[in-house]
C-alpha cells in the first residue's frame, strides 16, 4: 500500500485496539489533540483530515494543555487507552516537554508526535529551527529524551516498520508505561513508501499480567507469616491492575490493616473496618501512626515516594519491607524483599500460600479506632462556620454532593493535602486523580478536559487554586468548544498559599507568594475576575462567598455543565492559612540562617534508608 509516512502512521493508529479493564474492546488511540504549524499541517495534518471520521481530532489552545489533557485521559482510562498529541517543531514541541514529565513521573502512557526539522537540510535554517553549531543532528526535540520512555526520530518512511512495535510495546507495558516521542521531520512526513498491508491489520493489545518468581514469593510469605503488626500499602499499581477487590479480600482473610498512597486513593471504601486512612505527608495521622508501629510493610503497586514515606521517616527503623510491583525498578528500592509481578496475579498467588495465618487481632482493630479519631478531626475542620470557607470545608461540600460514579481531580498547591487527607470514598470506587507525582500546576483544568472525554458516566470535578488557574486556563475554551462538560472549583486565596506556608513555616519572611508580598507599582493592584474570565472562555460561571452559597452554587454548576455540555467554573474565596495537616515531616533544604534549621537537624537523623541484610 503506497502511502506517505504520515498516512501510514495514521492508518496504524486506527488499527490498534485495546482491552479495557472491564474486558471491552476499544480503540487504543481514541483521540488526537492537534495544533498545526508549518512542521505538521501538510504531512500529518492532511493524513488526519483524510481519516477524520475514524480518528477524532480535537483542537487545543496550548500544546502543554493538550498533552496534559491526553495524560488525564490515560489516567481516567486506567492506562488502557492512550492520547496522541501533535505539534510543529520549535516552541510548540517544547511546550509539550512539561506534560511528558508529568506522564513519565506518573507512569502514564502518552504518544507525542512533534514535527521536526528537514532531514534534507536544503532550506536550513528554517523558521523555528534551533541550530547547534557542533552537531547539526540535534534539534529541540532532543529535549524530550530525559522525559521519554521511548524516543525515535523517523528519518526514513520504512523506519516505521521497526519503531511502531517498540512504541506500542512501551505504551501498553504495565512496567514501562510512559511517554513515547516519535519526532517527524516535515519532509519525511510527506515521503511515500510501499508499506506492507499487514502493518494496518487490526491488533488488540492486552495488558499482560507477569507472574512472580516463586522463590521471591516464598520469601515474602515467610516474612509476612513472621509479622504480628503488618500493614498493607496500596498504590496506583493496584488501580491499574484492577486488583483492588483482590487485595482487600486478602486483607480481610488475614486481618491486615490497609492504607493508601496518593495514587492509590479511594480504592478502599472509607468505612471499611480495615482502612486506616491515607498515608504520608498529605495523608492522615491515623495511617501514619499505624505505619510507625508496623513491623512489616507490604507495599503493593507503589514507588514509595517521599510524600508517602514522609521522606523516609515514617516507618520504624527495623521494619521489614516487602514490595509487590510489576516494575523491577520500583520493586527493589530500599532493600525490600522484592516480588516483581502484576499486583492482581501476585496477590492471588500470595493468598494461596499464606495459609491460616492471621495478624494480631488487637492490631487489626487499631486501624478503625485510629481512623475514627482522624475522621472526627476532619469533621471538625469541615463543620460549617460563618465567613470565608477553608479548603477542608470546600472539599467536604464537594464530597457530600458527589455521586458514587463521579471523578474528582487536583494536582498542585494545598488541595492535594485536602483531597488525599480528607476525601471519603463512596463505595470504594476509583474516583480520584491527584497528580502528585510531578505536581504540575495547570494540570487541573487540562487533565479534567481529558478525564471528561474518557469518562462515560458521572461528573468530573476539578479543584484548583488561583495560581494554577492563571498558569494554564486556555483548555477551558477547548473543552467548552468541544462540548466536554466538567465542574472546575477555583479556590481564590490571593497567591501561592501553600508555598507561603512552607516559607513561613521554616521561619522565612513572607516574600513573593501572596500578592500582598509581591513587588508592584500600584497602591491598589488589580484583581482577577475569574468568573468573568471563565465566562469569556465559553464556560458557565458561578461565584460563592460562604459555605452555604458554595453548596448551592456547586449543585447549580453540576446541572449547568450537564445541560449545556461545557465546563462550569465555580469561584470561591478561601482562607489562605487553614490546612489539613497529618503532622508528618518533609525534607526540604533549610538554610542555617532560618529558625527552621534546628528542627531539620533534629529530624534528619531519623531518616532511615532500609538496606536488606
Amino acid at each position: 500500500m503506497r502511502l506517505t509516512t504520515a498516512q501510514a502512521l495514521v492508518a496504524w493508529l486506527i488499527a490498534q485496539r485495546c482491552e479495557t479493564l472491564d474486558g471491552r474492546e476499544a480503540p487504543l488511540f481514541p483521540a488526537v489533540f492537534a495544533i498545526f504549524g508549518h512542521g505538521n499541517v501538510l504531512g500529518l495534518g492532511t493524513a488526519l483530515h483524510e481519516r477524520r471520521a475514524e480518528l477524532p481530532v480535537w483542537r487545543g489552545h496550548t500544546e502543554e494543555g493538550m498533552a496534559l489533557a491526553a495524560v488525564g485521559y490515560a489516567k481516567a482510562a486506567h492506562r488502557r487507552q492512550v492520547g496522541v498529541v501533535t505539534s510543529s517543531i520549535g516552541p510548540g514541541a517544547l511546550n509539550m516537554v512539561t506534560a511528558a514529565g508529568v506522564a513519565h513521573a506518573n507512569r502514564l502512557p502518552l504518544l507525542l508526535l512533534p514535527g521536526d526539522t528537514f532531514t534534507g537540510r536544503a532550506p536550513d535554517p528554517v523558521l523555528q529551527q534551533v541550530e547547534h553549531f557542533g552537531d547539526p543532528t540535534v534539534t529541540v526535540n532532543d529535549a524530550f529524551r530525559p522525559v521519554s520512555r521511548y524516543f525515535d526520530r523517523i528519518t526514513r518512511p520504512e523506519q516505521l516498520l521497526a519503531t511502531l512495535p517498540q512504541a506500542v510495546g512501551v505504551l501498553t507495558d504495565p512496567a514501562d508505561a510512559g511517554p513515547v516521542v516519535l519526532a517527524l521531520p516535515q519532509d519525511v512526513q510527506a515521503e511515500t513508501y510501499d508499506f506492507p498491508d499487514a502493518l494496518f491489520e487490526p491488533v488488540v493489545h492486552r495488558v499482560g499480567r507477569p507472574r512472580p518468581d516463586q522463590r521471591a514469593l516464598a520469601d515474602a510469605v515467610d516474612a509476612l507469616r513472621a509479622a504480628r503488626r503488618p500493614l498493607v500499602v496500596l498504590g496506583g499499581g493496584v488501580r491499574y491492575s484492577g486488583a483492588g477487590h483482590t487485595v482487600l479480600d486478602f486483607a480481610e482473610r488475614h486481618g491486615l490493616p490497609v492504607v493508601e498512597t496518593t495514587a492509590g486513593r479511594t480504592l478502599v471504601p472509607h468505612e471499611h473496618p480495615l482502612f486506616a486512612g491515607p498515608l504520608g505527608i498529605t495523608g492522615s495521622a491515623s495511617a501514619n501512626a499505624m505505619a510507625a508501629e508496623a513491623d512489616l510493610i507490604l507495599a503493593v503497586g507503589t514507588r514509595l515516594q517521599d510524600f508517602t514515606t514522609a521522606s523516609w521517616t515514617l516507618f520504624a527503623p527495623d521494619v521489614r519491607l516487602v514490595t509487590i510491583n510489576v516494575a523491577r525498578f520500583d520493586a527493589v528500592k530500599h532493600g525490600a524483599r522484592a516480588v516483581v509481578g502484576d499486583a492482581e496475579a501476585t496477590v492471588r498467588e500470595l493468598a494461596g500460600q499464606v495459609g491460616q495465618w492471621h495478624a494480631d487481632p488487637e492490631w487489626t482493630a487499631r486501624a478503625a479506632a485510629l481512623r475514627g479519631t482522624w475522621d472526627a478531626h476532619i469533621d471538625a475542620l469541615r463543620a460549617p462556620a460563618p465567613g470565608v470557607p477553608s479548603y477542608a470545608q470546600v472539599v467536604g461540600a464537594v464530597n457530600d454532593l458527589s455521586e458514587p460514579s463521579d471523578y474528582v481531580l487536583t494536582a498542585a498547591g494545598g488541595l492535594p493535602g485536602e483531597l488525599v487527607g480528607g476525601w471519603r470514598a463512596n463505595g470504594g470506587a476509583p474516583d480520584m486523580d491527584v497528580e502528585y507525582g510531578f505536581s504540575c500546576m495547570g494540570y487541573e483544568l487540562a487533565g479534567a478536559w481529558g478525564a471528561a472525554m474518557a469518562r462515560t458516566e458521572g461528573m468530573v470535578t476539578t479543584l484548583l487554586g488561583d495560581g494554577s488557574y492563571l498558569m494554564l486556563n486556555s483548555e477551558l475554551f477547548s473543552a467548552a468548544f468541544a462540548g466536554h462538560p466538567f465542574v472546575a472549583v477555583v479556590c481564590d486565596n490571593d497567591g501561592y498559599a501553600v508555598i507561603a506556608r512552607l516559607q513561613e513555616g521554616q521561619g522565612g519572611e513572607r516574600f513573593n507568594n501572596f500578592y500582598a508580598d509581591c513587588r508592584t507599582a500600584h497602591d491598589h493592584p488589580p484583581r482577577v475576575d475569574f468568573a468573568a474570565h471563565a465566562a469569556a472562555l465559553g464556560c458557565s460561571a458561578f461565584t460563592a462567598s460562604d459555605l452555604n452559597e458554595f453548596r448551592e452554587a456547586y449543585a447549580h454548576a453540576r446541572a449547568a455543565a450537564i445541560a449545556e455540555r461545557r465546563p462550569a467554573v465555580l469561584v470561591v474565596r478561601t482562607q489562605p492559612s487553614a490546612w489539613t495537616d497529618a503532622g508528618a515531616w518533609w525534607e526540604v533544604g533549610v538554610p542555617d540562617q532560618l529558625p527552621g534549621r534546628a528542627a531539620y537537624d533534629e529530624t534528619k537523623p531519623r531518616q532511615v534508608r532500609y538496606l536488606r541484610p
Side-chain angles (χ1 to χ4, degrees), residues 15-20 24-26 201-207:
Q16 308 311 299
R17 310 286 291 173
C18 73
E19 184 179 77
T20 64
R24 295 179 295 106
E25 185 180 315
E201 290 293 325
V203 178
V204 179
H205 299 274
R206 295 177 174 85
V207 175

Side-chain angles (χ1 to χ4, degrees), residues 400-423:
D400 291 343
L401 297 170
S402 293
E403 301 292 336
S405 59
D406 286 352
Y407 193 78
V408 65
L409 183 150
T410 194
L415 282 162
E418 307 299 325
L419 265 78
V420 174
W423 189 267

Side-chain angles (χ1 to χ4, degrees), residues 337-432:
R337 288 170 169 82
V339 184
V340 179
D342 169 71
E344 202 272 344
T346 302
V347 172
R348 282 192 184 277
E349 294 195 30
L350 183 66
Q353 298 187 26
V354 172
Q356 299 302 311
W357 169 85
H358 199 282
D360 184 340
E362 292 186 5
W363 172 250
T364 301
R366 188 157 168 71
L370 285 173
R371 199 203 66 240
T373 301
W374 178 255
D375 285 351
H377 174 64
I378 295 297
D379 287 341
L381 295 178
R382 289 182 172 186
V388 176
S390 66
Y391 274 175
Q393 290 171 324
V394 168
V395 169
V398 173
N399 202 165
D400 291 343
L401 297 170
S402 293
E403 301 292 336
S405 59
D406 286 352
Y407 193 78
V408 65
L409 183 150
T410 194
L415 282 162
E418 307 299 325
L419 265 78
V420 174
W423 189 267
R424 293 169 180 174
N426 190 344
D431 57 357
M432 181 179 290

Side-chain angles (χ1 to χ4, degrees), residues 519-536:
R519 186 184 184 95
T520 177
H522 303 284
D523 294 332
H524 301 286
R527 286 187 53 83
V528 178
D529 187 335
F530 293 102
H533 185 267

Side-chain angles (χ1 to χ4, degrees), residues 9 12-13 16 28-29 31-33 66-67 70-71 74 81-87 96 100 103 108-114 144 150 163-164 167-168 171 178-184:
L9 178 56
W12 178 84
L13 291 172
Q16 308 311 299
L28 177 63
F29 303 105
V32 175
F33 299 87
M66 293 192 306
V71 173
Q81 292 180 287
V82 183
V84 183
V85 192
T86 180
S87 75
M96 299 193 293
L108 292 169
L110 171 67
L111 179 57
L112 299 178
L113 304 175
F144 283 105
Y150 183 81
T163 205
L164 291 179
V168 77
L171 294 170
V180 168
V181 178
L182 300 181
L184 303 173

Side-chain angles (χ1 to χ4, degrees), residues 299-520:
V300 188
T302 171
R303 59 193 179 121
L304 296 174
Q305 182 218 33
D306 67 334
F307 260 69
T308 298
T309 63
S311 297
W312 288 97
T313 62
L314 207 55
F315 306 137
D318 58 349
V319 76
R320 285 169 293 172
L321 294 177
V322 176
T323 57
I324 295 174
N325 205 298
V326 73
R328 179 206 55 79
F329 182 88
D330 293 320
V332 301
K333 290 175 178 174
H334 302 284
R337 288 170 169 82
V339 184
V340 179
D342 169 71
E344 202 272 344
T346 302
V347 172
R348 282 192 184 277
E349 294 195 30
L350 183 66
Q353 298 187 26
V354 172
Q356 299 302 311
W357 169 85
H358 199 282
D360 184 340
E362 292 186 5
W363 172 250
T364 301
R366 188 157 168 71
L370 285 173
R371 199 203 66 240
T373 301
W374 178 255
D375 285 351
H377 174 64
I378 295 297
D379 287 341
L381 295 178
R382 289 182 172 186
V388 176
S390 66
Y391 274 175
Q393 290 171 324
V394 168
V395 169
V398 173
N399 202 165
D400 291 343
L401 297 170
S402 293
E403 301 292 336
S405 59
D406 286 352
Y407 193 78
V408 65
L409 183 150
T410 194
L415 282 162
E418 307 299 325
L419 265 78
V420 174
W423 189 267
R424 293 169 180 174
N426 190 344
D431 57 357
M432 181 179 290
D433 173 8
V434 177
E435 193 290 288
Y436 220 50
F438 217 50
S439 187
C440 179
M441 295 179 69
Y443 175 82
E444 298 95 334
L445 293 174
W449 179 28
M453 295 175 66
R455 301 279 294 184
T456 58
E457 58 181 1
M459 174 58 64
V460 173
T461 294
T462 182
L463 293 96
L464 67 157
D466 50 302
S468 282
Y469 183 97
L470 289 173
M471 194 161 289
L472 190 64
N473 52 59
S474 54
E475 303 325 313
L476 278 174
F477 177 71
S478 303
F481 186 88
H484 297 124
F486 59 86
V487 176
V489 175
V490 180
C491 298
D492 182 5
N493 55 22
D494 271 346
Y496 301 143
V498 75
I499 296 301
R501 175 194 183 192
L502 175 63
Q503 186 179 54
E504 295 175 59
Q506 299 297 329
E509 297 290 333
R510 293 170 61 108
F511 175 63
N512 205 52
N513 287 309
F514 287 116
Y515 290 123
D517 307 314
C518 295
R519 186 184 184 95
T520 177

